[in-house]
Structures are given as C-alpha cells and as structure tokens.
Amino acid sequence: MSAEHNAPANATEYISHHLMNLRANPALTDPTDPSHFHLDTFWIALILGFVFVGIFGLVARRASVDKPSKFQLFIELIIELVDSNVKDIFHGKSKIVAPLALTVFVWVTLMNAMDFLPVDLLPKIAAEFGIQYLKVVPTADINQGLAMSLSVVLLSVVLGIQAKGLVGFVVEFFTAPFHAEGTVMKIILIPINGAMQLIEYGSRGLSLALRLVGNMFAGELVFMLIALLGMSWTGANPGSILGLLGQVVAGSAWAIFHILIVILQAYIFMMLTIVYCGLAVEEH
C-alpha cells in the first residue's frame, strides 16, 4: 500500500487523516469501547521510554570521572537541574521523587520532540506496511496526558499516606481546607471539605494533562498547516519525496521556535509533578 495511492484529496482530509490514531479496532464507533486502544500512542511512548533508559544506562556504565565525554556532561547537567529543583521544592524523605522527576522530564521531552519529524515521514513509512493511520506525537493524545497526570496524582496520594499515615491523611482530607472549632462544626464541614479536596485533586490531574496535550496538539496542527504550505510551494502530493522536502524547508523556522515549547512543556510537567508530591507530604 503506497502513500501516494492513499493521498488525501484536499487539505481538510489531509489534516483529518493525520489526527486519526491507529486503533486496535477502527471499525467500532463507540469511543468508550476498549478496542479503541491507541496502538500508535502506546508503542511510540514505550519505545521512547526504552530509548531514555538505554541512553542513560549506557552513559552510566561508561561514566568517567577523569575524562568525562561531552555527552556525559550534558546528561549530568540534566540530572543536576532536576535534582536541584527537587531539593528546593520537595522536603519529604521519599527516594522516588527525584528519579520520577527525571523520568518525566526526559520522557516527555522525547515524546514532544517527535513533532520535529516531517509530518508525513513516519506515516509514509507505515503506509508501505499497510498501516493507514499513525499519529507520532504521544503527548498530543489526551489518553497519554491523562494517564501520566493521573499517575502523578495517585502517587502524591501514596506519598501523603506514607508521610502522615492512613489515619492522618484521611483526617486531613476531611478537615481541610476549612477548619472549625467544636465537634459539631467539624462534622458539618466533613462533606464540604471532602468535596473541595476531590475537586482539588481532580483539577490537578486535568490541568496537568490538558496543559501538555493542548500545547502539543496545537503545535502538531501548525506543523500540518506548514506542511500543506510547503507542498503547495512544490506542487507535490502528500507523502511524495518532493512533498517531504517542502515540509522540511517550510517547517524549519517553526521547528526552531517549537524547541522552546517542547522543552518548556516537559519542564512544567516535571515541576508540577514535584510540587504536587511536595504538597502531599506537607501539613495542610
């Protein structure tokens, strides 16, 4: 199956095609069905996770104190950046927050950086193997964003329970943010405090996910529009070699600007992860 054979007829069809995920069962129309599992998001995110682990593991094995390589110094710079932020924000005793923050920062950066590839490059290669849809930026998928943000929120709850004990965490959950003197008033405020805490935890997860996904989805749309512009300059069909060349030329300027967005969104996600973990272990 060639990319040219299935080339979209117009700009609207082209963008719609690139916004479709590779699903386990694309024939189903119910989006809540588990068969709508996004295979491209899962596999690309998983592969990039192994890339992160492989690169850092290789650098750790070849690390030299006397003659460090430039790449080792670059990796150490990233680790020191994350470690300094963790020490400044998180005041608990957990040993998993720093590794978690490092993983979040590098992994999200790698997933965001998939946006730098020409829009039609990987879909064209996938089309040669009969894969019709391929969305290559996992962080532009709300499922990936929500999965990561909910994991962070759940971890913050676990850290809160470890730091305060189950009883202490539950007591704080139902006595904050509104405090009152007297047993009767405390009982009256229990449902209000519980509702406020649920809203707070829910808003953390939603804001963390939507901020990342919204920015990356918007960046992906801009790259598609630039790709269409590049193809209009060359007069080439989507997926052709000349069309890919037009995408590279037209998208270079935006890609340079987009580097800031890619790194900034990963940094914000990491910082909020540390902040939420820090809030969980501190007294309200």
Side-chain angles (χ1 to χ4, degrees):
M1 182 184 298
S2 65
E4 288 82 356
H5 179 72
N6 293 293
N10 51 56
T12 302
E13 185 179 335
Y14 176 81
I15 294 176
S16 299
H17 181 272
H18 278 285
L19 293 179
M20 290 292 293
N21 286 95
L22 176 63
R23 297 173 176 175
N25 191 345
L28 295 176
T29 57
D30 182 10
T32 62
D33 193 289
S35 297
H36 271 295
F37 187 82
H38 292 177
L39 296 174
D40 45 8
T41 297
F42 173 78
W43 284 111
I44 293 175
L46 181 64
I47 291 171
L48 292 176
F50 279 116
V51 169
F52 157 63
V53 173
I55 291 176
F56 274 67
L58 182 63
V59 171
R61 287 194 297 270
R62 297 183 178 181
S64 173
V65 178
D66 299 328
K67 295 181 179 179
S69 64
K70 292 182 179 180
F71 191 64
Q72 177 186 332
L73 293 175
F74 174 70
I75 296 298
E76 290 178 354
L77 180 64
I78 296 176
I79 295 175
E80 290 176 2
L81 171 67
V82 174
D83 188 58
S84 63
N85 282 289
V86 172
K87 289 179 179 178
D88 291 339
I89 299 173
F90 183 78
H91 305 297
K93 298 181 180 180
S94 176
K95 296 181 179 180
I96 66 173
V97 175
L100 171 67
L102 178 65
T103 301
V104 165
F105 179 65
V106 179
W107 192 32
V108 173
T109 299
L110 290 175
M111 290 189 286
N112 291 352
M114 294 297 290
D115 228 356
F116 295 138
L117 296 176
V119 174
D120 284 310
L121 179 60
L122 293 184
K124 173 180 170 58
I125 296 174
E128 298 298 331
F129 295 92
I131 300 175
Q132 186 177 5
Y133 299 106
L134 185 66
K135 196 172 179 182
V136 300
V137 185
T139 45
D141 186 351
I142 188 61
N143 296 286
Q144 179 72 15
L146 285 175
M148 293 190 299
S149 63
L150 290 177
S151 298
V152 170
V153 172
L154 290 176
L155 177 62
S156 69
V157 172
V158 172
L159 291 175
I161 294 175
Q162 288 180 344
K164 304 167 186 176
L166 179 60
V167 175
F169 179 83
V170 172
V171 169
E172 184 179 274
F173 190 90
F174 290 105
T175 58
F178 301 115
H179 301 275
E181 296 296 333
T183 305
V184 176
M185 284 303 299
K186 288 181 179 180
I187 295 175
I188 293 175
L189 289 176
I190 282 178
I192 300 175
N193 286 326
M196 293 294 293
Q197 290 281 32
L198 288 175
I199 293 173
E200 180 179 349
Y201 279 102
S203 63
R204 288 179 184 180
L206 284 176
S207 62
L208 195 60
L210 294 178
R211 181 184 293 106
L212 174 64
V213 175
N215 280 277
M216 297 314 302
F217 185 81
E220 195 175 23
L221 283 177
V222 171
F223 273 115
M224 292 177 194
L225 295 174
I226 292 176
L228 289 170
L229 179 62
M231 286 183 285
S232 68
W233 288 348
T234 60
N237 294 323
S240 66
I241 300 300
L242 192 58
L244 289 172
L245 179 62
Q247 293 177 28
V248 173
V249 174
S252 297
W254 171 249
I256 294 173
F257 173 75
H258 200 57
I259 292 175
L260 176 62
I261 299 176
V262 163
I263 299 176
L264 181 61
Q265 290 305 314
Y267 182 77
I268 291 174
F269 201 99
M270 176 200 72
M271 289 295 292
L272 289 177
T273 298
I274 301 172
V275 168
Y276 293 159
C277 291
L279 290 173
V281 299
E282 293 179 356
E283 295 296 331
H284 202 286

